[in-house]
Amino acid sequence: DAMVIQNPRYQVTQFGKPVTLSCSQTLNHNVMYWYQQKSSQAPKLLFHYYDKDFNNEADTPDNFQSRRPNTSFCFLDIRSPGLGDAAMYLCATSRDGIGRAAAFGSGTRLTVV
Amino acid sequence: RKEVEQDPGPFNVPEGATVAFNCTYSNSASQSFFWYRQDCRKEPKLLMSVYSSGNEDGRFTAQLNRASQYISLLIRDSKLSDSATYLCVVTYDTGGFKTIFGAGTRLFVKA
């Protein structure tokens, strides 16, 4: 059974139209991450939550926001998607502590038209 | 300098070959190290953790050298099913655990 669940699997949005991607977890992990992965590139960390503490990467555009209303859920909001934001968005979770590997959801593939 | 750097690929090897990947990391405070495998258009999946003493899981052996800040992955007796991208992953604590990926090394195993 999937323990990190991302919805939807595929999302098509219009240029400039706000879109929200969701992630939920049943692992009770305290750290949740959002990554952006473009074709043939490594996943790039956008931001992560350590419990309720939000940690933004310095080079993450302001266009990307996140919310974590509770331990289980985390959302990625793209306020005004551009063509360059088309990518796979991966949610991952991990438990605090040394040696704790991250578990990934299946990802949401975003297309901007 | 990138935080995590990997051997450029792709690696093209015949079945049964032994292949090794290296990865270097720049943050000496890095605490945890992993190898992930990613198949085309799928999410990364944990292959194995990497421990200071080195560790083995079947045909896969991982090594960590903290002094030189690199980790390695050795695959023996390569199978066609080993064809994938292998991602080196490093975690460190910045007041919240952060997981950074290398760019990945593509492996093609051919019959």
Side-chain angles (χ1 to χ4, degrees):
Chain A
D1 290 339
M3 292 175 285
V4 183
I5 302 164
Q6 289 188 244
N7 285 304
R9 188 70 187 270
Y10 300 92
Q11 175 75 55
V12 180
T13 191
Q14 291 180 337
F15 183 95
K17 184 175 180 180
V19 64
T20 294
L21 310 182
S22 72
C23 177
S24 64
Q25 54 134 338
T26 59
L27 299 164
N28 204 33
H29 284 172
N30 56 337
V31 189
M32 293 188 78
Y33 307 84
W34 278 104
Y35 288 86
Q36 179 193 64
Q37 187 174 27
K38 297 187 176 181
S39 182
S40 302
Q41 296 182 22
K44 178 181 179 301
L45 182 62
L46 295 174
F47 24 61
H48 74 281
Y49 274 93
Y50 186 96
D51 294 320
K52 294 182 180 180
D53 294 332
F54 178 68
N55 298 270
N56 199 30
E57 291 301 296
D59 58 353
T60 297
D62 292 340
N63 196 26
F64 292 86
Q65 304 286 321
S66 186
R67 296 169 283 135
R68 188 179 186 187
N70 53 52
T71 300
S72 301
F73 286 87
C74 195
F75 300 98
L76 170 62
D77 300 309
I78 308 176
R79 294 194 294 189
S80 182
L83 297 178
D85 296 329
M88 172 76 88
Y89 289 88
L90 294 161
C91 173
T93 73
S94 69
R95 191 183 300 281
D96 183 2
I98 296 172
R100 306 287 190 175
F104 280 83
S106 305
T108 294
R109 186 165 294 280
L110 179 68
T111 300
V112 181
V113 297
Chain B
R1 183 183 173 189
K2 292 182 181 177
E3 291 183 272
V4 180
E5 296 200 67
Q6 293 188 237
D7 280 351
F11 284 57
N12 294 285
V13 302
E15 270 189 297
T18 295
V19 61
F21 305 140
N22 289 323
C23 169
T24 59
Y25 59 94
S26 61
N27 190 330
S28 60
S30 298
Q31 295 174 304
S32 304
F33 309 89
F34 309 94
W35 284 101
Y36 278 71
R37 171 193 170 128
Q38 187 171 27
D39 292 292
C40 189
R41 302 179 77 83
K42 301 278 190 176
E43 74 274 21
K45 292 189 176 176
L46 179 66
L47 178 66
M48 60 195 302
S49 302
V50 186
Y51 304 118
S52 296
S53 54
N55 49 299
E56 188 174 308
D57 182 1
R59 298 181 293 108
F60 299 84
T61 300
Q63 298 277 354
L64 166 63
N65 184 318
R66 285 190 183 270
S68 301
Q69 295 183 199
Y70 80 82
I71 69 173
S72 64
L73 177 67
L74 183 77
I75 306 176
R76 291 182 298 277
D77 188 22
S78 299
K79 310 293 184 190
L80 295 176
S81 58
D82 293 334
S83 298
T85 297
Y86 291 84
L87 300 161
C88 168
V89 179
V90 173
T91 297
Y92 53 87
D93 186 358
T94 59
F97 278 85
K98 197 166 154 177
T99 299
I100 302 297
F101 284 78
T105 301
R106 191 79 173 91
L107 172 66
F108 293 96
V109 181
K110 299 183 177 181

